[in-house]
Amino acid sequence: MNAEHEPLLEDLLAGKHRALARVISKIENRSPGYRDLVSELYAHTGAADVIGITGSPGAGKSTLVDKLAETYRDRGETVGVIAIDPSSPFTGGAVLGDRIRMASTVGDMDVFVRSMSARGTLGGLSTATADAVKAMDAFGKDKIIIETVGAGQNEIDIVRTADTVAVLVPPGSGDDIQTLKAGILEIADVFVVNKADRPGADRTVQELRDMIHLGEGPGMGGDAGHHGADAMDAGGADWGDDGDAIEDWTPPIVETVATKGEGVEAFIDDLAAHQQYLVDSGTRAEMTRQRYAEEIRTLLREDVHAMLESRIEDEGGIDDLAEGVRTGETDPYTIASDLLEPVEACLDDLDVDGT
Amino acid sequence: MSSEQEQESIRCLVAKVGLDGHDRGAHVIARAFRDAGFEVIYSGLHKAPEEIVQAAVQEDVDVLGISILSGAHDTLVPKIMDGLEEYGAKEDTLVLAGGVIPDEDRDELKELGVAEIFGPGTSIEETIEFVRENAPER
């Protein structure tokens, strides 16, 4: 590890907030040597419970996270929060506004709130988030809460860093067909109907309940879906079997009014019950393994991606290649296989040497 | 967009401290910084100095912009500077002040470690340029 990082790591492990903040910056910036730093963190992790909070924009995620942090603090536990906000696709700039709502715990350094922006790259955010979680875990936080941007497929990647995923569903967020759609609702370990004092909350709870029971029904679509996912997994080994791994867990639905702190205790009990379930069922070990598998894959993908980008530069840049396709000289498939040919050749050579 | 390349972004905390209840200017600055490609954390209104320090330390910001219209800069800014020092963050944080700050108070603030003071009428471009040129190298 580089000499500058060693005291930083020591300070982080000694509980210095400034060091934790600086390490997370290095992770976000991908500063030279940050990987060695993160490697060193792994030996000190594993004690924290990681909770992911997601849901559509305006569902009340920040306010709920604030109350959650406050309640954990009342119970004597330390809390780390990673709040993710979108960044501009044009300038890369961002206004990170979640911190404003974390008002219940200001002045209490044992709630460490860190805002992160998406900074645009493929897979980069989920890696940075996972690494920042490692830093908070090594620092000694008991609970780490990841609050995601809002809707979208990318969210699903990020919350996979968490042991327990809570999905916020505000009242009146669409008819019951919305609950049948694939995506964000499938990843929930706990459902939170926030703003439960608003009209339509009862209906939303009922629709979620119907959806959950539909998924449990014997021989119904839900079951077949799981098997279908399994079959694909055998070949492609992916995260598709998330629901399957914890098939005995039925996501509870909790109603909260985050602005008033109502239902927060019940929510915490549900989160704790899920954590307990993960341990009791042996699912936690399996999940951790899957998570590391995914981290390895993401890292490899990023590295290969970076190598290919520089290869594209060597070939005159992506614009030239694209122009070739536009003018009919070649096509994307040919370009891809041409660019990858030397990589394939190298890997084949390695195989031969290995056996 | 090589994923290995450094992805440094200037991080700024735009802070409203004390009792003044007017943050239109802070919003304008936050938006302009965003459009300049910075990552901006806005504190919200009515923050105590310790809250600002906490946010600046945890968010590891390069730049702390303090907006004060109430005339209380003499009491609030020193508290913030002391807090930053306590966490070892004073040295490498560029602290700016803006809002209504009389000329005769400026030297005193600069002695405390405030890098620059932007009064009414300062152009946004000027502020952004200053941040780009003076944001600390870490």
Side-chain angles (χ1 to χ4, degrees):
Chain A
M1 193 168 42
N2 95 29
E4 176 203 349
H5 288 167
E6 215 152 319
L8 195 57
L9 181 68
E10 274 170 32
D11 282 354
L12 181 145
L13 295 174
K16 291 190 181 155
H17 291 94
R18 179 85 177 141
L20 174 57
R22 191 50 59 85
V23 167
I24 296 175
S25 297
K26 287 191 182 293
I27 288 167
E28 279 195 292
N29 293 340
R30 294 158 188 271
S31 304
Y34 88 97
R35 284 192 168 194
D36 295 336
L37 191 57
V38 179
S39 302
E40 294 289 326
L41 292 173
Y42 275 82
H44 306 277
T45 58
D49 291 328
V50 186
I51 300 154
I53 309 268
T54 187
S56 51
K61 295 185 289 295
S62 304
T63 311
L64 188 64
V65 168
D66 179 46
K67 298 294 185 221
L68 204 56
E70 186 186 21
T71 313
Y72 280 131
R73 286 299 294 138
D74 288 346
R75 296 179 178 197
E77 292 178 293
T78 60
V79 181
V81 177
I82 298 171
I84 301 163
D85 268 317
S87 60
S88 161
F90 304 111
T91 64
V95 170
L96 309 173
D98 292 328
R99 196 181 179 97
I100 278 191
R101 293 176 197 89
M102 313 274 176
S104 304
T105 52
V106 288
D108 176 4
M109 264 292 191
D110 285 323
V111 178
F112 191 101
V113 180
R114 181 60 179 240
S115 311
M116 281 180 122
S117 95
R119 290 202 194 174
T121 54
L122 186 80
L125 178 57
S126 47
T127 317
T129 311
D131 290 345
V133 167
K134 296 281 180 321
M136 286 186 171
D137 190 348
F139 182 86
K141 291 297 180 196
D142 299 314
K143 306 283 177 188
I144 299 167
I145 306 170
I146 305 167
E147 185 204 322
T148 73
V149 173
Q153 297 279 337
N154 289 337
E155 301 312 289
I156 293 172
D157 270 354
I158 293 158
V159 290
R160 277 186 182 138
T161 301
D163 306 314
T164 302
V165 174
V167 176
L168 267 68
V169 186
S173 46
D175 59 19
D176 51 1
I177 294 299
Q178 296 296 344
T179 63
L180 294 178
K181 287 188 182 173
I184 201 154
L185 293 179
E186 289 176 281
I187 62 173
D189 298 309
V190 179
F191 284 106
V192 183
V193 177
N194 190 35
K195 309 189 183 184
D197 53 349
R198 293 213 180 155
D202 293 346
R203 215 187 107 202
T204 302
V205 170
Q206 190 53 49
E207 280 165 3
L208 286 172
R209 199 168 283 146
D210 289 348
M211 178 195 73
I212 291 164
H213 290 307
L214 206 60
E216 284 182 330
M220 286 296 289
D223 215 29
H226 281 314
H227 291 147
D230 270 354
M232 292 204 313
D233 267 308
D238 208 335
W239 271 84
D241 60 347
D242 201 21
D244 204 53
I246 49 171
E247 66 186 344
D248 296 324
W249 174 259
T250 303
I253 304 166
V254 56
E255 293 180 63
T256 59
V257 184
T259 46
K260 297 179 192 156
E262 284 170 21
V264 175
E265 295 275 348
F267 179 36
I268 283 186
D269 291 345
D270 283 338
L271 293 173
H274 184 254
Q275 303 273 358
Q276 191 58 47
Y277 162 78
L278 290 179
V279 175
D280 293 348
S281 63
T283 318
R284 186 159 183 152
E286 173 63 20
M287 272 183 65
T288 311
R289 196 159 50 233
Q290 284 187 343
R291 188 182 309 144
Y292 288 146
E294 201 53 30
E295 279 183 34
I296 295 166
R297 282 213 179 85
T298 306
L299 271 179
L300 288 173
R301 218 162 19 227
E302 279 190 43
D303 287 357
V304 171
H305 184 250
M307 281 186 237
L308 286 174
E309 284 294 327
S310 60
R311 180 119 181 83
I312 289 170
E313 284 309 308
D314 295 344
E315 296 291 318
I318 196 82
D319 287 341
D320 277 7
L321 295 172
E323 179 65 11
V325 176
R326 193 188 70 85
T327 54
E329 286 165 35
T330 179
D331 65 280
Y333 290 91
T334 308
I335 293 173
S337 50
D338 284 355
L339 286 177
L340 281 173
E341 208 184 294
V343 180
E344 249 175 85
C346 283
L347 287 175
D348 286 347
D349 283 352
L350 279 180
D351 267 352
V352 173
D353 291 343
T355 46
Chain B
M1 91 165 206
S2 157
S3 51
E4 258 305 272
Q5 83 194 16
E6 280 190 66
Q7 300 192 339
E8 212 149 329
S9 183
I10 296 177
R11 284 170 72 86
C12 309
L13 174 63
V14 173
K16 284 300 294 184
V17 61
L19 292 176
D20 66 89
H22 178 78
D23 61 353
R24 174 89 192 147
H27 284 191
V28 170
I29 284 281
R31 168 71 192 258
F33 279 4
R34 185 200 85 181
D35 290 342
F38 305 165
E39 288 181 356
V40 188
I41 295 128
Y42 176 53
S43 73
L45 280 170
H46 306 309
K47 298 301 169 192
E50 23 320 342
E51 296 174 33
I52 300 304
V53 170
Q54 182 184 12
V57 170
Q58 293 185 345
E59 301 288 359
D60 194 25
V61 290
D62 308 285
V63 182
L64 167 58
I66 307 167
S67 159
I68 301 181
L69 305 172
S70 64
H73 45 271
D74 284 347
T75 50
L76 296 171
V77 174
K79 284 182 187 165
I80 292 174
M81 300 311 286
D82 287 350
L84 289 178
E85 186 147 41
E86 188 188 327
Y87 288 100
K90 188 176 163 185
E91 288 306 306
D92 57 3
T93 305
L94 180 73
V95 180
L96 309 174
V100 183
I101 294 168
D103 286 343
E104 60 265 31
D105 291 345
R106 296 188 171 204
D107 286 345
E108 202 182 325
L109 290 181
K110 286 196 169 176
E111 267 167 43
L112 288 168
V114 175
E116 193 53 88
I117 292 143
F118 297 102
T122 314
S123 81
I124 297 269
E125 289 75 24
E126 197 183 318
T127 315
I128 288 169
E129 205 47 48
F130 187 87
V131 168
R132 284 225 171 94
E133 276 168 20
N134 294 283
E137 290 283 332
R138 289 172 163 174

